[in-house]
Amino acid sequence: MDRYCFGVDLGGTTVKMGLFKPDGELVDKWEIPTVKDDGGSKILPDIANSILAKMDEKNIEKEAVIGVGIGVPGPVDPDGFCNKAANLGWVDKIDLEGDMHELTGLHVKGGNDANVAALGEAWKGGAEGYSDVVVVTLGTGVGGGIIVQGKVLAGSTGAGGEIGHIHIVDNEPEACGCGNHGCLEQYGSATGIVRLANRRLAEDNAPSVLRDGDISAKSVFDAVKAGDVVAIEIAERFGEYLGKGLANVACVTNPQIFVIGGGVSKAGDVLIPYIQKNYVKYVFHASRDAKFALAKLGNDAGIYGSAKLVLE
Amino acid sequence: MDRYCFGVDLGGTTVKMGLFKPDGELVDKWEIPTVKDDGGSKILPDIANSILAKMDEKNIEKEAVIGVGIGVPGPVDPDGFCNKAANLGWVDKIDLEGDMHELTGLHVKGGNDANVAALGEAWKGGAEGYSDVVVVTLGTGVGGGIIVQGKVLAGSTGAGGEIGHIHIVDNEPEACGCGNHGCLEQYGSATGIVRLANRRLAEDNAPSVLRDGDISAKSVFDAVKAGDVVAIEIAERFGEYLGKGLANVACVTNPQIFVIGGGVSKAGDVLIPYIQKNYVKYVFHASRDAKFALAKLGNDAGIYGSAKLVLE
């Protein structure tokens, strides 16, 4: 009997779903909308129905299903409860694993979406073959997912891997979204890069293509690729902050590899040297040889990682 | 049949040994000297003989022994090899677990001494009852041991929890022992506190009892307890660096509790508020409620933690 598992990436707009074989082969992939009416009470039944329909369609017996992994945009505690997920309309504590088990009759394992995506990258993405991984997501914010000996480090209140809030700069006048001042996220995220660019451009009148048009993480790294001297200085500062922050993470978990993902990582390989050379400068020698790679799974990281949750 | 386990804390001068029941009751405790002749080749046979003699003395059958845990001053990889332990005269890779198993016929599990001591504090010391713990050792250096879900986070090359080398100050002119500049260890260790004291005293001529006699971590905190204004300023700076560093650790592992140990912690409860109030200032909100406690086991942390290694 072929065996299967499901990976569910539950987002605020759509639910991405994948049917996998235990070796990581993606058999089928589909999406359903996230219906947030009635405090999000329809979401889990919709997902359950979609899974049961898929099993029907593929003639998969319940006994052949190892389980359903599900990543949600909120903290999931070790007992499988999701405390709150504002983006889903969930304001109360939800028995994520228990409710889904009741709806499907299947084994269910839940996790935070960022951690689950990291697990996906560690399993079949940029860190395939490694057991000790830090996945860094450079997007609107800076997120992280930490894998230790092949397992997610979720943290005691679900806030493991919140590396965007490592304090990296003293005396930063602007506040981070979290309320603190000087968090890594303020310099390493897409908006952080824009902040660094605007600050650099205001320092003098050095010519730069960045002075024409809108500034974004993409325009900065496009300019870097084109050899723009000011853009390269901005990338150096970005790399200094990020390298320093990741060096501090390495003092804690001593990973084999860092995987860089998120929207900013679409800039590609050009990013890595700026981060890595500063990482090497600040890191404790025992972690100096950690590798750096780009994320590979894109939007599929969540379905891979949630499927992996039930294979652990 | 009563069951037992052994905890061995292998140091450069003495080997501390404990006979435990599985619930953590310390049945017997003794020491033997660490004989480092011949490249440390006598150390493991000496320990094995001492364990076998103790079993004989107490009429403990081999079947009643769950195992022998052993903490060593060097990195231990997941296969139980110790790569190098200069303090023991071990310059080559040693099959720590395999050799000890061969010598005793018992199940053996090895670990790094700092991590093992942390496990001891998490099991029966300052963090008893908690599963997610960071033990901070403030001594000659700043060491750390990280416990996640009750297990040691050893790291991919054995350098997990090297929190003394978190980068905390830019533009530090003096070098840390590791070669970097601005590591937490340069401000949070016993010698770090002396550094902070000397720098503060050089700033002006404000009266302080610290201007008479030798400055040490002990004299600084004795002066703090006596209400010395300059000493209190030094403690504030120490707390700022340490609080900031531990806030960064919390962004990675999100622990329930920090346990402060090592020689500096002999100052007692006076330490905690200086560290904790700065921790709260810098930490990501989800980790704000982490507790702070002093280590309780002192020199016995290693035997407790190594015993716990074989109970996991």
Side-chain angles (χ1 to χ4, degrees):
Chain A
M1 180 178 71
D2 279 343
R3 303 199 74 195
Y4 298 91
C5 59
F6 289 91
V8 179
D9 181 11
L10 173 45
T13 310
T14 58
V15 185
K16 296 184 187 69
M17 307 176 77
L19 172 66
F20 291 86
K21 292 198 175 168
D23 63 359
E25 185 196 328
L26 179 57
V27 178
D28 198 3
K29 183 170 95 164
W30 69 102
E31 292 186 4
I32 61 171
T34 305
V35 179
K36 293 186 279 191
D37 305 352
D38 297 331
S41 64
K42 294 176 182 168
I43 296 174
L44 295 184
D46 285 351
I47 294 171
N49 288 335
S50 183
I51 288 171
L52 296 171
K54 185 61 67 179
M55 287 164 63
D56 216 36
E57 174 197 328
K58 302 273 186 191
N59 285 314
I60 297 171
E61 299 294 323
K62 203 158 275 190
E63 294 66 41
V65 179
I66 298 162
V68 177
I70 177 164
V72 300
V76 177
D77 71 21
D79 297 321
F81 286 80
C82 175
N83 237 322
K84 198 178 151 181
N87 286 344
L88 302 177
W90 293 355
V91 290
D92 295 320
K93 197 167 176 167
I94 299 260
D95 184 1
L96 177 66
E97 294 179 5
D99 289 355
M100 272 299 280
H101 171 71
E102 204 149 296
L103 289 162
T104 59
L106 300 169
H107 167 62
V108 178
K109 193 95 191 79
N112 167 265
D113 55 1
N115 289 336
V116 161
L119 186 60
E121 286 292 342
W123 185 35
K124 291 289 168 186
E128 186 171 355
Y130 293 94
S131 59
D132 294 278
V133 181
V134 174
V135 177
V136 185
T137 308
L138 307 176
T140 315
V142 171
I146 299 192
I147 309 297
V148 173
Q149 293 284 299
K151 306 228 176 208
V152 168
L153 195 171
S156 67
T157 64
E162 283 284 2
I163 63 175
H165 301 286
I166 287 182
H167 177 83
I168 210 77
V169 173
D170 290 330
N171 307 316
E172 167 62 49
E174 291 182 58
C176 178
C178 77
N180 287 347
H181 292 254
C183 294
L184 179 56
E185 179 161 303
Q186 293 185 270
Y187 318 98
S189 62
T191 48
I193 293 166
V194 173
R195 172 179 290 114
L196 294 177
N198 284 326
R199 288 181 181 178
R200 171 61 193 86
L201 291 170
E203 286 172 15
D204 58 28
N205 291 313
S208 168
V209 297
L210 295 172
R211 298 196 187 275
D212 316 317
D214 286 346
I215 293 171
S216 64
K218 183 176 185 320
S219 71
V220 169
F221 282 102
D222 283 347
V224 168
K225 288 176 202 168
D228 187 279
V229 174
V230 170
I232 289 169
E233 283 181 45
I234 296 163
E236 291 281 1
R237 296 182 190 181
F238 158 84
E240 167 103 15
Y241 291 125
L242 211 55
K244 198 185 284 183
L246 298 185
N248 284 353
V249 175
C251 286
V252 184
T253 73
N254 180 220
Q256 298 159 306
I257 185 168
F258 289 90
V259 175
I260 312 293
V264 174
S265 74
K266 289 183 186 156
D269 289 328
V270 65
L271 277 177
I272 304 285
Y274 291 102
I275 302 170
Q276 190 166 12
K277 79 175 171 194
N278 284 289
Y279 170 82
V280 168
K281 184 172 147 195
Y282 287 106
V283 78
F284 185 58
H285 50 76
S287 292
R288 195 159 287 158
D289 295 333
K291 293 181 171 52
F292 281 76
L294 292 172
K296 278 187 185 164
L297 298 177
N299 289 332
D300 286 347
I303 57 172
Y304 275 90
S306 50
K308 183 69 167 74
L309 281 179
V310 294
L311 297 171
E312 287 185 332
Chain B
M1 180 178 71
D2 280 342
R3 304 199 74 196
Y4 297 92
C5 59
F6 289 91
V8 179
D9 180 11
L10 172 46
T13 311
T14 58
V15 184
K16 297 184 186 70
M17 305 175 77
L19 173 65
F20 291 86
K21 292 199 174 165
D23 63 359
E25 185 196 329
L26 180 58
V27 177
D28 197 4
K29 183 171 95 164
W30 69 102
E31 293 185 4
I32 61 172
T34 306
V35 179
K36 293 185 279 191
D37 305 352
D38 296 331
S41 63
K42 295 175 182 168
I43 296 174
L44 295 184
D46 286 351
I47 294 171
N49 289 335
S50 184
I51 287 171
L52 295 171
K54 185 61 66 177
M55 287 166 61
D56 216 36
E57 175 198 327
K58 303 273 186 190
N59 286 313
I60 297 171
E61 299 295 323
K62 204 158 275 191
E63 294 67 40
V65 178
I66 298 163
V68 176
I70 178 164
V72 301
V76 177
D77 71 21
D79 297 321
F81 285 80
C82 175
N83 236 324
K84 197 179 152 181
N87 287 342
L88 303 177
W90 293 355
V91 290
D92 295 320
K93 196 166 177 169
I94 299 260
D95 184 0
L96 177 66
E97 295 180 4
D99 289 355
M100 272 300 280
H101 170 72
E102 204 149 295
L103 290 161
T104 59
L106 300 169
H107 167 62
V108 177
K109 192 94 189 80
N112 167 266
D113 56 0
N115 289 335
V116 161
L119 186 60
E121 286 291 342
W123 186 34
K124 292 289 169 187
E128 186 171 355
Y130 293 93
S131 58
D132 294 276
V133 181
V134 174
V135 177
V136 185
T137 308
L138 306 177
T140 316
V142 171
I146 299 192
I147 309 297
V148 173
Q149 293 283 301
K151 306 228 174 206
V152 168
L153 194 171
S156 66
T157 64
E162 284 283 4
I163 64 174
H165 301 285
I166 286 182
H167 178 83
I168 210 77
V169 173
D170 290 328
N171 308 315
E172 167 62 49
E174 292 182 56
C176 179
C178 77
N180 286 348
H181 292 253
C183 293
L184 179 57
E185 179 161 303
Q186 293 185 269
Y187 318 97
S189 63
T191 48
I193 293 167
V194 173
R195 173 180 289 114
L196 294 177
N198 285 327
R199 287 182 181 179
R200 171 63 192 85
L201 291 170
E203 286 172 15
D204 58 29
N205 291 313
S208 168
V209 298
L210 295 172
R211 296 196 188 274
D212 315 317
D214 286 344
I215 294 171
S216 65
K218 184 178 184 320
S219 69
V220 170
F221 282 103
D222 283 348
V224 168
K225 288 175 200 168
D228 187 277
V229 174
V230 170
I232 289 170
E233 283 181 45
I234 296 162
E236 291 280 1
R237 294 182 192 181
F238 158 83
E240 167 103 14
Y241 291 125
L242 210 54
K244 198 185 283 184
L246 299 185
N248 284 354
V249 175
C251 286
V252 183
T253 73
N254 181 220
Q256 297 159 307
I257 186 168
F258 289 90
V259 174
I260 313 293
V264 174
S265 74
K266 288 182 187 157
D269 289 328
V270 65
L271 277 178
I272 304 284
Y274 291 101
I275 302 170
Q276 190 167 12
K277 77 175 170 192
N278 284 290
Y279 171 81
V280 168
K281 184 171 145 196
Y282 287 106
V283 78
F284 185 58
H285 51 75
S287 291
R288 196 159 285 157
D289 295 334
K291 294 181 170 52
F292 281 77
L294 292 171
K296 278 187 185 164
L297 298 177
N299 289 334
D300 287 346
I303 57 172
Y304 275 89
S306 49
K308 184 68 168 72
L309 281 180
V310 293
L311 297 172
E312 287 184 332

